[in-house]
Amino acid sequence: MEAPTKTQPDVTVRVFKRQFGSNPRGARLARRVGLYQLHTWGIPYLSDASESAALIIGELTANAVTHGRVPGRDFELRLTHTPGDREILGVLRIEVSDTRGECRPPGPGEIPVPADGDDSGRGMLIVDALADRWAVIDREPPGKTVRAELDLLY
């Protein structure tokens, strides 16, 4: 009996995790650091994936510091990149966690459309439009994580 000649390619799952101050400066820094990390993983600046990730990271971190802020507690950005090839899509997972579990955004399919002239309420609509999948997940210790995934084409 012969061993199969085709071997499965090695897959390196890359993970970046960092906490940021729960304030507008922390949200801006998280977006910039996240995009730099994606660039080092081979997702170049200004590519479609990078631009979508920038908007998603920006919206989720802004929500974390606006609606999920607890004084003295940071929020966390976690990026996970599972590369693909010409046959298999890669996946970029963006997770933003904060410590206010009781203040949850609506889930997929539940987002109300803001009235014309409203100044806010469009952030999760942007996430819903750009992400291939997303969810709001409880986490321990108390809090929540908003997770969005992008399928990466190669």
Side-chain angles (χ1 to χ4, degrees), residues 24-36:
R25 183 174 183 227
R28 286 190 306 272
L29 182 60
R31 182 179 171 275
R32 292 177 64 104
V33 169
L35 289 180
Y36 175 79

Side-chain angles (χ1 to χ4, degrees), residues 104-114 121 124-125 128 134-136:
R104 298 171 63 93
E110 302 172 352
I111 304 168
V113 177
M124 292 309 293
L125 287 172
D128 191 52
W134 70 278
V136 182

